[in-house]
Amino acid sequence: MKYSFKIKTLGLAIAMLSTFSSCTKDFDEINKDPNSLTEDQLDATLAGPAFASALYAGIHNGSYSSPGVDDQGTWGIATGILSSTFIHYLNCGYGTERNAFVNGYEGRGWTRFYTVAAPALTNALKASEGNAEATAVLKIWKVYMYNQMVDAYGPIPYTEAGNGKEKVPYDSVESIYTDFFKLLDEANATLTSTSATSVASLAPNDRVYAGNVDRWRVFGNSLRLRLALRISDKEPATAKTQAEAAVAAGVMETNAQSAYFKASNITPNNLNMIVNSWGYVMSASMESILVGYNDPRLERWFAPVATGAYRGNPVGGLEDQFGATEFSKFNNNVLGNGPNNTLSETKNIEIFMASENYLSRAEGALNGWNMGADAKTLYETGIRLSLAQWGVTEPAEINAYLAGTTLPTLPNILTLFPTLDLQDIPVKLPVAWSASTADQRTQIAVQKYLAIFPESWEAWADLRRSDAKVIYPVLNTDNPDAGVGKSLMKRIIYTTNEYSSNKAAVEDGVSKLGGPDSGGTRLWWDTK
């Protein structure tokens, strides 16, 4: 793998700078562009445009306005066919729903990350040298976007990613997490002590918080809380310290603080562009929970079939197993293409929701951590924020949901295919707060699963970490590897290109992984 990290302007229309490398041959010609800027030409004026590229590519979105660089297929493959399918946020009919890695899909997100997002961030950091506030924000974003990759693949190129060398070593998951907390501590210290309220060099290109210092500080601490909970089974003492420090420093508490990427016609919301056109539909797991709970988010997320019922597609069906059966599509007014195909340009992209923090704090409270309130209060506040996020604001409706005693139900598909192995409903608890601590943990996991939707990278990591039974096993598996079968996929395998171009490094990465390069090997923090 070779990272030359040159910059090429994408034109006035896109108003951002992207960076490229030659991980794959199709980027070689880009790297030979005589008009590309070299590293010594980076200055503070390029920090914002490079950051803009790192933000958009860092959430696995792409635009046809950047020809030769990326497109919406990155979200469809890296997120839709992989993480979103693994956790049953949707179903798409591709082989990955049967836990198989097919057609090199596992490499799409990796390649785009290391050829667009990572080098863009590297250049933004170089261009921001000497600017403490800008560097702090970039450190926070580095943790966010690398966290998704390390939680998906395991050991990855991190410390020396962007070193300009032919071979790039892999860092262990443990060492990367150690650096994550270091970066977040440093960023919080800088953004807490500064008198600046805005990062001027980033603000014009920052489509998340417009350079707002306090919003980025709170985002960083919210991220620290998320990561603390992730390592809570592996390093409980460190987790407690980091979680309590994050809450004390201030995490998101209102929906106004939630992080969205502001979509536009040149940075569209990829999910909105392709979920319906690619054939993604609601899964049976989502249907079971949402219908059983009479969840008011159901009608905002999905559309009923012709009979008026909601019907989810069981994940893991055999090819053409359900024939022409109609399944609930994503609701056009919320998550689909929208009227006149413009919703993708106006529906902002969910990055990190405030509701997640309350649910994480609720679990932390059960762990005995000082989370500022009791677990029940935090749990119910998290639910309230998630409902409000999706337009559910009627107090009576919200209170009825919180007090709900109904249980998730059998999927509608059983009325047509009664012999399907779906009788054992995964979630056997109501929304109303239980008296059992063990049940409370499951309830938190279920509500976090719903609150994070549709950001599937974090939801996938959280399900692996908690081991809560929230979704059905897949109906069938095409993956014979140990630890996979019909269960939740544990990780994404490394790309074939890495074995051919960075062989010694990727083999060292497998050694640090502690198991075979398969979807069944647990990551360092996944202990159960």
Side-chain angles (χ1 to χ4, degrees):
M1 181 184 292
K2 181 180 178 182
Y3 299 98
S4 59
F5 292 151
K6 295 182 179 179
I7 299 178
K8 179 179 179 180
T9 302
L10 299 182
L12 295 177
I14 197 166
M16 66 168 65
L17 228 61
S18 285
T19 47
F20 308 87
S21 70
S22 54
C23 266
T24 51
K25 294 180 179 179
D26 57 323
F27 287 86
D28 286 346
E29 291 306 312
I30 293 175
N31 283 320
K32 295 176 183 177
D33 183 358
N35 296 317
S36 294
L37 296 174
T38 57
E39 186 175 298
D40 61 358
Q41 293 174 293
L42 285 168
D43 60 39
T45 64
L46 299 178
F51 181 44
S53 183
L55 285 173
Y56 193 55
I59 54 174
H60 314 284
N61 274 239
S63 173
Y64 283 117
S65 296
S66 51
V69 182
D70 206 5
D71 58 52
Q72 290 79 15
T74 293
W75 185 93
I77 294 175
T79 301
I81 292 177
L82 295 175
S83 59
S84 289
T85 296
F86 292 160
I87 63 166
H88 304 194
Y89 268 0
L90 46 74
N91 197 5
C92 56
Y94 293 100
T96 50
E97 72 165 287
R98 294 183 295 279
N99 285 344
F101 292 109
V102 294
N103 299 324
Y105 290 152
E106 71 280 358
R108 180 65 173 265
W110 177 282
T111 299
R112 292 302 191 255
F113 181 85
Y114 282 108
T115 60
V116 184
L121 181 69
T122 296
N123 283 330
L125 283 163
K126 290 182 181 296
S128 297
E129 289 179 358
N131 185 330
E133 292 81 10
T135 299
V137 170
L138 294 169
K139 285 178 179 179
I140 292 169
W141 191 248
K142 178 178 182 177
V143 174
Y144 179 86
M145 70 182 210
Y146 271 98
N147 175 238
Q148 292 191 335
M149 295 298 289
V150 71
D151 283 353
Y153 291 90
I156 56 171
Y158 176 74
T159 303
E160 294 189 45
N163 63 9
K165 299 178 181 179
E166 289 284 343
K167 308 299 179 183
V168 184
Y170 283 51
D171 295 86
S172 69
V173 176
E174 180 179 7
S175 67
I176 293 173
Y177 263 79
T178 298
D179 193 58
F180 283 167
F181 288 119
K182 175 177 176 290
L183 293 177
L184 293 175
D185 285 340
E186 292 170 351
N188 179 65
T190 297
L191 299 181
T192 298
S193 62
T194 184
S195 60
T197 59
S198 178
V199 184
S201 62
L202 303 181
N205 302 93
D206 178 2
R207 299 189 68 82
V208 180
Y209 287 131
N212 185 290
V213 166
D214 191 61
R215 291 291 177 86
W216 275 111
R217 181 189 64 80
V218 170
F219 180 95
N221 285 310
S222 301
L223 184 56
R224 179 155 50 156
L225 173 62
R226 171 188 282 181
L227 302 188
L229 202 57
R230 185 88 82 250
I231 67 168
S232 59
D233 290 332
K234 188 69 176 181
E235 295 188 346
T238 300
K240 180 177 187 293
T241 297
Q242 289 292 341
E244 291 182 344
V247 172
V251 297
M252 296 175 192
E253 295 183 340
T254 68
N255 282 336
Q257 294 174 310
S258 293
Y260 294 86
F261 183 94
K262 295 176 176 58
S264 73
N265 63 332
I266 50 178
T267 53
N269 185 325
N270 289 182
L271 181 152
N272 294 79
M273 297 186 75
I274 68 177
V275 287
N276 286 335
S277 61
W278 279 35
Y280 291 112
V281 295
M282 179 172 71
S283 73
S285 293
M286 286 289 277
E287 177 205 337
S288 173
I289 298 170
L290 294 171
V291 172
Y293 282 168
N294 298 310
D295 197 307
R297 289 167 291 195
L298 171 63
E299 64 185 27
R300 289 163 170 80
W301 292 349
F302 301 104
V305 297
T307 63
Y310 289 90
R311 182 183 298 138
N313 192 337
V315 175
L318 300 175
E319 188 173 354
D320 296 326
Q321 180 173 355
F322 304 116
T325 303
E326 182 186 8
F327 295 102
S328 290
K329 294 183 178 180
F330 282 75
N331 189 323
N332 267 4
N333 293 324
V334 177
L335 294 174
N337 292 324
N340 301 318
N341 296 318
T342 61
L343 188 58
S344 62
E345 301 174 5
T346 57
K347 172 64 170 61
N348 295 330
I349 303 169
E350 294 84 357
I351 295 176
F352 199 132
M353 301 297 102
S355 55
E356 177 191 332
N357 281 320
Y358 281 98
L359 294 163
S360 293
R361 290 167 64 189
E363 185 174 352
L366 294 181
N367 293 342
W369 303 346
N370 182 1
M371 295 287 99
D374 64 273
K376 180 176 185 289
T377 298
L378 293 166
Y379 168 78
E380 293 185 346
T381 304
I383 295 173
R384 289 179 186 278
L385 260 65
S386 180
L387 294 176
Q389 173 192 336
W390 294 100
V392 182
T393 58
E394 175 57 43
E397 185 176 20
I398 295 172
N399 290 334
Y401 183 77
L402 291 172
T405 57
T406 58
L407 300 177
T409 186
L410 291 171
N412 178 274
I413 188 68
L414 287 171
T415 63
L416 302 177
F417 298 86
T419 62
L420 291 174
D421 187 14
L422 298 171
Q423 298 294 332
D424 186 12
I425 300 172
V427 179
K428 299 176 173 62
L429 296 168
V431 175
W433 190 242
S434 172
S436 160
T437 300
D439 288 348
Q440 290 165 3
R441 291 184 183 277
T442 299
Q443 289 177 309
I444 291 169
V446 172
Q447 289 300 325
K448 188 184 287 189
Y449 174 79
L450 298 175
I452 296 174
F453 178 82
E455 205 296 282
S456 60
W457 292 74
E458 173 56 25
W460 178 33
D462 196 66
L463 282 187
R464 285 177 284 160
R465 191 269 311 170
S466 70
D467 290 298
K469 292 184 178 180
V470 177
I471 59 177
Y472 278 102
V474 298
L475 289 180
N476 302 280
T477 182
D478 292 340
N479 193 325
D481 292 338
V484 180
K486 296 181 179 182
S487 65
L488 179 66
M489 191 75 78
K490 308 302 186 298
R491 61 179 290 273
I492 302 173
I493 61 175
Y494 294 125
T495 71
T496 55
N497 184 65
E498 279 292 276
Y499 281 100
S500 62
S501 64
N502 201 24
K503 189 172 189 293
V506 73
E507 288 178 345
D508 180 60
V510 174
S511 175
K512 291 172 178 173
L513 179 64
D517 181 14
S518 76
T521 299
R522 295 180 184 274
L523 301 187
W524 167 77
W525 46 260
D526 187 4
T527 64
K528 297 177 183 178

